Amino acid sequence: MKTNRIRIKSSQEIDILKKAGKILSLIIKQVGSSLTAGMTTKDIDEKVESLIQQYGVKPAFKGYRGFPACACISVNEAVVHGIPNQRIIRKGDIISIDIGIIYEDYYSDSAVTVGVGPVNPETQRLLEVTEVALYKGIEKACASRHLSDISHAVQSYVELHGFSVVRDFVGHGIGRQLHEDPEIPNYGQAHQGPVLKEGMVLAIEPMVNMGVHRTRVLNDGWTVVTEDGKPSAHFEHCILITSNGAEILTR
Ligand code: MG
Ligand code: MG
């Protein structure tokens, strides 16, 4: 892909994207800390919807290609795009919550995976490795580095710890659209692809499986699960490329 297809944001756009990211980070924190065993995934989505209303922003996912809810909520072996429903959260489950919002016509997108109650140690390690892998990728998101330096950093860290990165879904540019160029895979060789520039805004989002990297989609047409049924984790931040590294907008 040519670097010039990646939109460079103006300082006004960056101000809006910073505010959008801040609001989304507050929503994610409140939802993440409210999870308890006995809730349904639909209850979580209702909490997300009420917070979105409270902050005066709009949900980005509801209606997106027909998606029926404000949040993607993916439990255990679900990787991404889980549809909230009557499933009851139990102790030991891990819940990936992915939320997109629109603020003044600009998008923000972030995800966390949270364990409920005591989670088994190997699953806990999956959560930690996935979150650190996100930060390993963000460390490489500097002006004049190549896009694939992010991808390579994520994959290397994950595989060093014995887990696998999902290939079927990738991170993305973000701004006036939820998904802009470039695509940001979580795997690949370093020093390939477009050169990063100040003013680019990227959603970096490793999806990490305990077992095989392959996935399949359930009959609901949305929910992506691991092919081997083992757990999967997902963390996502929107970042801005600045003159001295990445600024995390959704922290
Ligand atoms: Mg997301
Ligand atoms: Mg995303």
Side-chain angles (χ1 to χ4, degrees), residues 61 72 97-100 108-111 172 178-179 203 205 234 236:
F61 298 167
C72 296
I97 303 167
D98 189 356
I99 305 174
S108 195
D109 186 6
S110 184
H172 49 95
L178 177 57
H179 296 125
E205 50 177 316
H234 179 208
E236 175 178 27

Side-chain angles (χ1 to χ4, degrees), residues 136-199:
K136 294 286 177 189
I138 290 172
E139 268 174 30
K140 301 291 181 190
C142 310
S144 80
R145 279 194 183 271
H146 287 268
L147 181 71
S148 80
D149 293 346
I150 300 171
S151 314
H152 184 70
V154 170
Q155 181 179 24
S156 305
Y157 187 79
V158 167
E159 293 182 353
L160 179 69
H161 289 82
F163 299 135
S164 66
V165 290
V166 170
R167 270 66 159 170
D168 300 334
F169 301 89
V170 296
H172 49 95
I174 187 165
R176 284 274 274 234
Q177 308 289 329
L178 177 57
H179 296 125
E180 298 185 355
D181 284 332
E183 289 194 344
I184 310 171
N186 294 299
Y187 61 93
Q189 295 185 338
H191 316 309
Q192 313 284 314
V195 174
L196 301 174
K197 292 184 178 162
E198 274 177 61

Side-chain angles (χ1 to χ4, degrees), residues 7 15 22 44 57 98 106 115 138-139 141 152 167 171 179 195 216-217 219 223 225-226 247:
R7 286 202 51 233
D15 284 345
K22 184 71 201 166
I44 301 169
V57 295
D98 189 356
Y106 284 79
I138 290 172
E139 268 174 30
H152 184 70
R167 270 66 159 170
H179 296 125
V195 174
R216 64 189 179 87
V217 180
N219 288 335
T223 311
V225 297
T226 56
E247 180 178 340

Side-chain angles (χ1 to χ4, degrees), residues 219-239:
N219 288 335
D220 65 17
W222 279 102
T223 311
V224 176
V225 297
T226 56
E227 199 182 83
D228 60 9
K230 291 186 179 172
S232 182
H234 179 208
F235 284 83
E236 175 178 27
H237 273 311
C238 290
I239 61 106

